[in-house]
Amino acid sequence: MAESFKIGDRVRWNSEAGHVSGTIIWVHIQDFNYKGHTHRASPEAPQYEIKSNKTDHIAVHKGSALSKLSG
């Protein structure tokens, strides 16, 4: 089972540009539309909106793609 995260957690993930870090700004627990695509989410399998620390870009990922950063 993937780790559970909450708003304000600092996380890291892999992107095509390498490792990226950011802060979770929203936790989706039901299906939602983002940039023209439907993302599947549920309380058992949430999706997380994350704001990049470097670029302020918003990304959406499943918990399995994220690692929590300490501090």
Side-chain angles (χ1 to χ4, degrees):
M1 185 172 129
E3 186 175 354
S4 174
F5 302 96
K6 63 185 185 311
I7 293 173
D9 283 350
R10 293 179 53 239
V11 295
R12 177 179 173 164
W13 67 97
N14 268 333
S15 78
E16 55 278 349
H19 289 285
V20 181
S21 62
T23 303
I24 293 178
I25 58 171
W26 196 264
V27 179
H28 294 274
I29 57 170
Q30 60 186 15
D31 294 353
F32 64 102
N33 288 316
Y34 184 74
K35 293 188 176 182
H37 299 281
T38 299
H39 292 262
R40 303 290 177 201
S42 68
E44 298 79 25
Q47 293 233 14
Y48 301 93
E49 261 183 71
I50 310 137
K51 184 175 183 180
S52 168
N53 291 335
K54 273 190 169 178
T55 64
D56 288 339
H57 173 79
I58 305 296
V60 176
H61 291 291
K62 295 179 180 180
S64 60
L66 304 173
S67 301
K68 189 180 258 185
L69 294 173
S70 59

